[in-house]
């Protein structure tokens, strides 16, 4: 995910750079590891770009005039190539006559790169897929930018929204949309493009929503939209009457809720990038051979907070799918306990940010002892990713809310893929079991969409219980791992004292705390442990507890014991964690909302914990 902005003003306009940078700031939620702009200072293109937040770019150019009536800008969420000045957008064609910004992925960029290099002698300055677009347009350009863009697009496969300017056409911007968002903003004597509406609301409220495979030609006085057949199309303007902040959140009240709803898309992205039509896994970033996998006699999964909870589910999976013993550890503990790690150890670090210091230091410790380091990370180019031998990206897109939701479920999905990959490569897993998992995993995004439709039911349950000051989460098997995550979610955003424990362990002490009206949230999604979990509900009910159950739709018996039930779609026990956590995320969100908490920025917490 990245953000693009483009502006074309009248000949007297000199401030294009500031207008574009201002728009980029509204898109920082789409990615923020580097940013850049291209302007035309009178038949000459200038590009300025800088790694880090947009403020770095502003500082970098603050002493330069860079007057122009036209500019394109970009804020990056790295996919191809680490976040560096070189990889930041815009990118030039080799003769510096064309500049391009791009959001998306060019799937055939390797072939195009080879072709451009071999047939045209083009040397590349970055590791990005985007640079091929600039060179393609460059080789086709003979004074007509729109034509050159058409020819380039015919060669490109993948998903993209691009913005392009040419030195010889200082009054024109050409943009294309294919499977990545793009809007155009209609002003008076000035016009715009952007990845998202908030970037434009300071200047315009009349918006054209650009459709897939459409090309937009923007000048100061006009916006022309062409369809896939390159025919001019008429589009009604869409008048925006909401404010900029709400628009960044796509109309959701909080980033957390938006991110909860992004999970079906995130999970299908995580899975589908690694699975071909025949169900074979093609793992980008992991280069382990059969021999490498056979050599491991132990796996350590090390992480913090929510990522650690993903590791708890991962343990059961990797042991079952790949037949290797797995230990899960909290990173801050692992570092100081002198664990048995050697060159036969596979060390898996899980981290959304890739900058969590405890996880990073644990990784360094394991590396020193000879372990092979595999990381499961969301942020490309982060420290954890850079210091690992193999990196498996979660592809959840930027997660803004401090409370992790979509990063967690995509981390879980990666655990399944890694387990299946290791088990299959090693020959431990039968074809039948492998195929069953693949089928079940492929169904998850759709089931999740269904599950999200029960949001209102869960929101109503939250209204009944939001005043509780103590909550217990219990479950058995993988349900106990999900219970830990549900409990963390609730406590971090609602400040309710919540506690998770394996259901079978209750009677060994914690049950002493259960009394009349104590809230106990019970996960009962595992068919093989269902009856036992119902017995645990009875134990707490006998002491007066108020019980909310989480169960599969087909298992209605729980209604006889629990006071309320939140259902998840039916699925194989092993993949249930991917669904079971969703009602808990939604419940935590609505409880915190009822309590009037600052949901996206809970007190005392930070999104990325870079201190020990
Ligand atoms: C989860 O909601 C928290 N924000 C926190 O537990 C987080 O998962 C933990 O700090 C680890 O962060 P990381 O994934 O960026 O390493």
């Amino acid at each position: 995910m990245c953000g693009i902005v483009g502006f074309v003003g009248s000949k007297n306009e000199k401030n294009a750079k500031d207008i574009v940078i201002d728009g980029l700031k509204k898109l920082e939620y789409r990615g923020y590891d580097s940013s850049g702009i291209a302007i035309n200072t009178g038949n000459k293109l200038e590009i300025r770009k800088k790694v880090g937040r947009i403020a770095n770019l502003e500082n970098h150019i603050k002493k330069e005039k860079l007057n122009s009536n036209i500019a394109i800008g970009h804020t990056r969420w790295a996919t191809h190539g680490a976040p560096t000045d070189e990889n930041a957008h815009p990118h030039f064609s080799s003769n510096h006559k064309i500049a391009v910004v791009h959001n998306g992925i060019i799937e055939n960029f390797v072939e195009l790169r080879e072709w451009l290099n071999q047939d045209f002698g083009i040397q590349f300055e970055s590791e990005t897929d985007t640079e091929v677009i600039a060179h393609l347009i460059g080789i086709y350009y003979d004074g007509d930018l729109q034509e050159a863009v058409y020819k380039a697009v015919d060669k490109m496969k993948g998903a993209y929204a691009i913005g392009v300017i040419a030195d010889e056409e200082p009054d024109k911007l050409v943009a294309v949309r294919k499977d990545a968002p793009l809007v155009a903003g209609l002003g008076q004597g000035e016009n715009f493009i952007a990845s998202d509406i908030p970037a434009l609301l300071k200047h315009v409220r009349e918006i054209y929503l650009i459709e897939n495979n459409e090309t937009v030609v923007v000048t100061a006085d006009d916006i022309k939209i062409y369809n896939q057949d390159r025919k001019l199309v008429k589009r009604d303007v869409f008048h925006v009457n909401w404010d900029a902040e709400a628009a960044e959140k796509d109309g959701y009240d909080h980033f957390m809720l938006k991110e909860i709803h992004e999970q079906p898309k995130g999970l299908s992205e995580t899975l589908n990038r690694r699975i071909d039509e025949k169900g074979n896994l093609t793992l980008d970033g992991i280069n382990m051979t059969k021999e490498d996998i056979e050599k491991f006699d132990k796996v350590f999964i090390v992480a913090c907070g929510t990522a650690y909870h993903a590791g708890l589910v991962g343990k059961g999976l990797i042991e079952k799918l790949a037949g290797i013993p797995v230990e899960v550890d909290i990173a801050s503990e692992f570092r100081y306990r002198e664990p048995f790690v050697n060159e036969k150890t596979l060390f898996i670090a899980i981290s959304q940010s890739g900058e969590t210091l405890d996880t990073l230091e644990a990784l360094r410790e394991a590396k020193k002892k000879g372990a092979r380091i595999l990381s499961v990370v969301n942020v490309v180019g982060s420290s954890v990713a850079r210091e690992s031998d193999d990196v498996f990206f979660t592809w959840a897109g930027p997660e803004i809310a401090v409370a992790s939701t979509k990063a967690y479920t995509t981390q879980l999905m990666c655990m399944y893929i890694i387990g299946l990959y290791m088990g299959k490569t090693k020959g431990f897993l039968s074809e039948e079991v492998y195929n069953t998992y693949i089928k079940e995993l492929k169904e998850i995004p759709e089931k999740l969409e269904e599950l999200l439709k029960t949001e209102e039911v869960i929101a109503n349950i939250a209204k009944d219980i939001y005043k509780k000051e103590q909550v217990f989460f219990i479950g058995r098997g993988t349900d106990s791992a999900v219970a830990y995550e549900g409990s963390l979610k609730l406590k971090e955003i609602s400040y309710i004292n919540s506690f998770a424990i394996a259901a079978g362990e209750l009677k060994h002490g914690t049950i002493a705390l259960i009394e009349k009206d104590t809230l106990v949230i019970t996960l009962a999604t595992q068919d093989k442990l269902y009856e036992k979990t119902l017995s645990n509900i009875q134990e707490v009910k006998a002491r007066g507890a108020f019980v909310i159950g989480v169960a599969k739709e087909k298992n209605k018996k729980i209604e006889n014991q629990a006071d309320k039930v939140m259902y998840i779609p039916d699925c194989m026990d092993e993949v249930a964690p991917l669904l079971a956590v969703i009602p808990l995320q939604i419940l935590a969100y609505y409880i915190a909302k009822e309590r009037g908490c600052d949901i996206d920025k809970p007190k005392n917490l930070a999104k990325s914990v870079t201190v020990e």
Side-chain angles (χ1 to χ4, degrees), residues 489-542:
K489 219 76 309 164
L490 182 66
K491 76 173 73 146
E492 69 180 326
I493 60 169
S494 72
Y495 318 134
I496 293 175
N497 181 11
S498 94
F499 184 84
I501 184 166
E505 185 65 10
L506 256 185
K507 58 187 170 299
H508 298 288
T510 308
I511 203 162
L513 297 172
I514 308 292
E515 52 190 32
K516 188 169 176 332
D517 292 333
T518 305
L519 178 56
V520 179
I521 298 178
T522 310
L523 287 113
T525 73
Q526 300 294 295
D527 290 350
K528 54 183 177 302
L529 297 164
Y530 187 59
E531 294 297 334
K532 296 222 173 298
T533 312
L534 293 191
S535 304
N536 293 125
I537 295 181
Q538 269 173 345
E539 282 165 15
V540 292
K541 280 301 290 177

Side-chain angles (χ1 to χ4, degrees), residues 52-348:
R53 307 297 282 240
I54 293 167
N56 290 7
L57 174 69
E58 279 187 295
N59 264 335
H60 178 57
I61 58 175
K62 68 174 178 233
K63 294 203 178 112
E64 293 188 86
K65 274 210 179 84
L66 297 173
N67 291 338
S68 174
N69 69 314
I70 184 165
I72 50 175
H74 189 269
T75 177
R76 183 166 186 246
W77 172 257
T79 56
H80 294 70
T84 60
D85 290 350
E86 294 74 31
N87 289 335
H89 302 205
H91 289 282
F92 266 140
S93 59
S94 44
N95 53 11
H96 287 204
K97 291 176 98 44
I98 304 289
V100 173
V101 286
H102 164 221
N103 166 32
I105 287 174
I106 303 303
E107 284 162 8
N108 59 337
F109 91 101
V110 176
E111 295 102 281
L112 289 173
R113 220 176 143 105
E114 275 168 24
W115 178 66
L116 288 162
N117 177 261
Q118 278 161 20
D119 289 24
F120 298 89
I122 287 171
Q123 299 299 318
F124 286 79
E125 289 171 8
S126 75
E127 303 158 285
T128 64
D129 52 342
T130 304
E131 200 184 336
V132 300
I133 308 174
H135 292 302
L136 273 179
I137 300 171
I139 60 166
Y140 292 126
Y141 187 69
D142 62 0
D144 185 342
L145 184 59
Q146 191 177 346
E147 268 310 308
V149 169
Y150 282 154
K151 287 183 181 149
V153 161
D154 285 342
K155 291 251 172 217
M156 287 153 46
K157 287 193 190 135
Y160 46 84
I162 56 171
V164 192
I165 56 175
D167 63 346
E168 288 172 24
E169 295 174 78
D171 51 0
K172 187 189 285 177
L173 188 167
V174 179
V176 186
R177 171 192 175 147
K178 182 176 176 279
D179 297 326
L182 184 69
V183 297
L186 186 62
Q188 295 200 331
E190 55 178 28
N191 289 311
F192 304 78
I193 59 147
S195 298
D196 201 357
I197 294 170
L200 308 182
L201 289 185
K202 196 167 163 190
H203 307 277
V204 288
R205 294 212 156 239
E206 306 294 320
I207 302 289
Y208 288 123
L209 302 172
I210 307 303
E211 310 258 343
N212 248 353
N213 299 307
E214 286 183 340
T215 301
V216 196
V217 179
V218 182
T219 59
D221 303 316
D222 204 7
I223 297 176
K224 285 199 162 70
I225 304 171
Y226 298 86
N227 65 14
Q228 194 164 11
D229 302 326
R230 277 110 209 224
K231 299 256 170 19
L232 199 59
V233 291
K234 200 173 149 18
R235 176 79 25 90
D236 292 335
V237 287
F238 167 69
H239 182 79
V240 181
N241 50 15
W242 11 272
D243 63 45
E245 212 204 331
E248 268 169 64
K249 293 176 191 150
D250 265 358
Y252 290 103
D253 285 349
H254 296 93
F255 280 109
M256 182 180 174
L257 191 60
K258 176 176 179 251
E259 287 158 6
I260 287 174
H261 281 267
E262 283 172 346
Q263 292 178 104
K265 187 168 167 278
L267 286 175
S268 93
E269 184 86 343
T270 310
L271 184 65
N272 291 333
R273 279 188 186 220
R274 277 76 184 235
I275 203 163
D276 65 19
E277 310 87 67
K278 291 184 190 139
N280 296 316
L281 293 175
T282 46
L283 295 205
D284 47 312
I286 300 187
N287 300 304
M288 281 181 221
T289 60
K290 184 170 190 282
E291 293 67 47
D292 290 334
I293 295 171
E294 277 169 348
K295 194 185 84 178
F296 301 135
D297 62 5
K298 186 187 213 174
V299 176
F300 263 107
I301 304 180
V302 178
C304 306
T306 287
Y308 167 74
H309 297 151
L312 291 177
V313 178
K315 169 184 164 68
L317 284 170
I318 294 174
E319 286 184 340
K320 195 171 193 163
L321 298 173
I324 308 175
V326 182
E327 257 194 71
V328 194
D329 216 342
I330 292 167
S332 53
E333 291 296 313
F334 176 91
R335 288 179 63 182
Y336 297 110
R337 75 175 176 86
E338 296 180 23
F340 291 107
V341 174
N342 56 36
E343 47 297 321
K344 289 186 182 166
T345 307
L346 172 64
F347 177 97
I348 304 181

Side-chain angles (χ1 to χ4, degrees), residues 304-307 351-353 356 402-404 411 488-489 492 609:
C304 306
T306 287
S351 176
Q352 187 285 131
S353 62
T356 303
V402 165
S404 187
Q411 284 162 355
L488 177 66
K489 219 76 309 164
E492 69 180 326
V609 186

Side-chain angles (χ1 to χ4, degrees), residues 544-596:
F546 183 86
V547 175
I548 297 176
V550 179
K552 287 181 194 159
E553 256 153 22
K554 62 173 185 177
N555 289 334
K556 295 279 192 291
K557 202 168 145 191
I558 192 170
E559 287 179 14
N560 300 332
Q561 273 126 43
D563 297 278
K564 307 242 174 214
V565 183
M566 303 189 288
Y567 284 107
I568 63 166
D570 295 336
C571 61
M572 175 169 92
D573 276 3
E574 287 77 357
V575 303
L578 287 160
L579 299 170
V581 73
I582 308 298
L584 306 185
Q585 295 171 344
I586 298 174
L587 189 68
Y589 172 81
Y590 280 103
I591 289 176
K593 199 171 176 195
E594 292 291 339
R595 290 167 75 99

Side-chain angles (χ1 to χ4, degrees), residues 38-55:
I39 59 163
N40 193 330
T41 53
N43 291 349
K44 184 169 190 282
L45 295 181
E46 300 277 355
I47 284 182
R48 300 289 184 274
K49 43 196 195 176
K50 208 72 204 146
V51 73
R53 307 297 282 240
I54 293 167

Side-chain angles (χ1 to χ4, degrees), residues 441-491:
L441 290 175
K442 278 179 149 182
E443 287 171 4
I444 290 291
E446 214 177 301
K447 288 183 177 170
L448 221 154
E449 291 279 11
E450 279 308 302
L451 180 49
L452 287 170
K453 290 183 189 152
T454 64
E455 181 176 344
E456 206 180 314
V457 176
I458 302 170
N460 283 329
I461 294 179
K463 285 193 180 112
D464 293 339
I465 57 170
Y466 76 94
K467 288 192 180 143
K468 300 273 183 197
E469 288 304 334
Q470 179 165 258
V471 181
F472 293 87
F473 284 78
I474 61 171
R476 287 172 170 264
T478 50
D479 274 345
S480 75
V482 179
Y484 285 111
E485 177 54 11
S487 171
L488 177 66
K489 219 76 309 164
L490 182 66
K491 76 173 73 146

